[in-house]
Amino acid sequence: MKNFKRFISLLLCAVLSLTLLTACGDTDDVITIAVPNDTTNEARALLLLEELGYITLKDGAGITATVADIEDNPYGIEFNEVEAAQLPNVLQDVDYAIINSNYAIEAGLNPVEDSLAMEGSSSAYSNVLVVKEGNEETDKIKALQAALESQQVADFIASSYDGAVVSTVDNPGDGYDETVDYDALAGTTITVAASPTPHAEILAVAKEILAAKDITLDIIEYTDYVVPNNVVESGEIDANYFQHTPYLDDFNEQNGTHLVAVSPIHVEPMGLYGGKQDSLDAITE
């Protein structure tokens, strides 16, 4: 009898140990979502997840929210904070990733067809033409602004990106500003820093408009969010075109820079893309 009881006791211990080990080691059910690690884009990603009903943010958490502002995470989502440009590269290693449309397009993703969900085209996140404070009314900048606010640019955006990039210019013009002395600008060069897609592509249309007035638009491409602002602040470059206003405001506050938005040109809705998962069902299962 003693041996039998001992056997039962050992068997129960073994079963209990196996259960505990399985529970501790079973991470297959944890859903991982990669989000941008810069403040404003991380907030956009979290606000999208809140809109979809997967998390709840604390009261007052808005366009600067981070994962620390998540009040309720009922599905136990694990968040990986990743540099925005690298999100397409880590997509295969996570269940989902929320990616800016410009980086999605560069990676060969179609935001409209490939994303499982997209945020609305909020004008709060319009990408803007930016200059150093005090340069807003120079003829160079007014000429560039007019070219970007043209019908030609609006048509290019509509025909090229199938809704992944949306023009936010209310009344597109002919590409020229009647208050600018284009004869005086003839032979000059305007320099602008931009990310490759879609900003440099859109600027290429503006470049043709300015070339008709013998003005050269020199488009310098960058793949990060910091240097384009620094070179405008230093005066090395006339303007940049790659960011939305919430990011710009946060950058100025964090770095003591004096950059201002001149004009909103387009918005790029963020998308939620499947990595290891091909539908959103896995989040709630």
Side-chain angles (χ1 to χ4, degrees), residues 230-272:
N230 288 341
V231 293
V232 173
E233 174 72 15
S234 69
E236 180 183 342
I237 303 293
D238 294 316
N240 68 44
Y241 174 42
F242 76 95
Q243 67 198 311
H244 50 64
T245 300
Y247 179 85
L248 173 63
D249 291 343
D250 184 67
F251 189 94
N252 278 331
E253 183 177 347
Q254 297 298 322
N255 297 278
T257 44
H258 306 84
L259 304 172
V260 294
V262 175
S263 175
I265 306 300
H266 77 267
V267 64
E268 303 164 15
M270 292 186 93
L272 173 60

Side-chain angles (χ1 to χ4, degrees), residues 133-154:
E133 187 176 7
N135 294 335
E136 304 96 310
E137 295 299 318
T138 63
D139 273 3
K140 270 189 175 185
I141 299 308
K142 288 164 69 176
L144 176 55
Q145 178 182 349
L148 282 172
E149 291 179 345
S150 67
Q151 188 65 55
Q152 297 98 305
V153 165

